[in-house]
Amino acid sequence: GNAERIEAEVLAAERVISGHDIALEGKVRLTTVDTLAARIFVPALARLQREHPGIRVELLSETRQLNLARREADIAIRMAPFEGQEVVTRKLGTLGMAFYAARGYDAARRPYRIVTVLDDLAHLPEAIWLREHFPDAEVALQSNSREAHLRAALSGMGVACLVCYRADRRSDLVRLRPDLPLLRRDIWLGVHRDMRRMPRIRAVMDA
């Protein structure tokens, strides 16, 4: 309706005004998933802050997809491509995932139990892959927190599909089915096209 159109125009005007803000200082809201937030982005943001101490980043780690057009976030980094004409995207890289369990778990237990996501995320590739390869497994734990999946696997609760860069470093985890190729998830960065040239947003994206 009329009110929504006016609100959209106001938000567009705000983005254009913000987009011309040339200072390398101020707040930037970055939203991403918890798999990447602490281990990958915090060290990069620490380096950024040493160079540009005036930039303050709000790092939101959640599964809910915040809306770039509505200024809920300035930059989003997701594990799925973005939709919508107003968002400029680029692929940052690829995350490898595989099945892991606590060392000794696979020899000790039959049938397997699995650690997976809640039903609202059951469409994710890793949840489908887990079900495909362990079809008769009971569910030991459901959580949308990747940190919880890692801790549950370490605690011997069951088999989890974990990111390799975390799990391979741990001597107390063992990779199951190493014959399988890694499950690959692409990492995408998105920014609203009106905001992408703002220096502080550019600086965070580069970091």
Side-chain angles (χ1 to χ4, degrees), residues 3-47:
E4 283 168 357
R5 186 175 54 76
I6 291 165
E7 187 196 17
E9 285 170 6
V10 168
L11 285 166
E14 279 179 5
R15 284 196 308 269
V16 170
I17 292 161
S18 300
H20 288 99
D21 177 357
I22 59 163
L24 269 166
E25 56 185 36
K27 191 171 72 177
V28 177
R29 293 186 66 143
L30 167 63
T31 174
T32 188
V33 292
D34 71 342
T35 303
L36 302 172
R39 297 296 178 116
I40 302 286
F41 295 136
V42 169
L45 294 173
R47 288 193 297 274

Side-chain angles (χ1 to χ4, degrees), residues 154-183:
L154 284 169
S155 303
M157 288 183 77
V159 180
C161 188
L162 303 174
V163 293
C164 300
Y165 88 87
R166 296 280 321 269
D168 281 344
R169 293 176 181 174
R170 305 218 46 135
S171 58
D172 40 6
L173 284 175
V174 64
R175 188 189 290 191
L176 304 183
R177 300 296 310 274
D179 54 302
L180 292 172
L182 296 182
L183 178 69

Side-chain angles (χ1 to χ4, degrees), residues 89-94 186-189:
T89 68
R90 78 168 187 249
K91 186 175 153 184
L92 290 185
T94 304
D186 290 338
I187 305 166
W188 296 88
L189 180 145

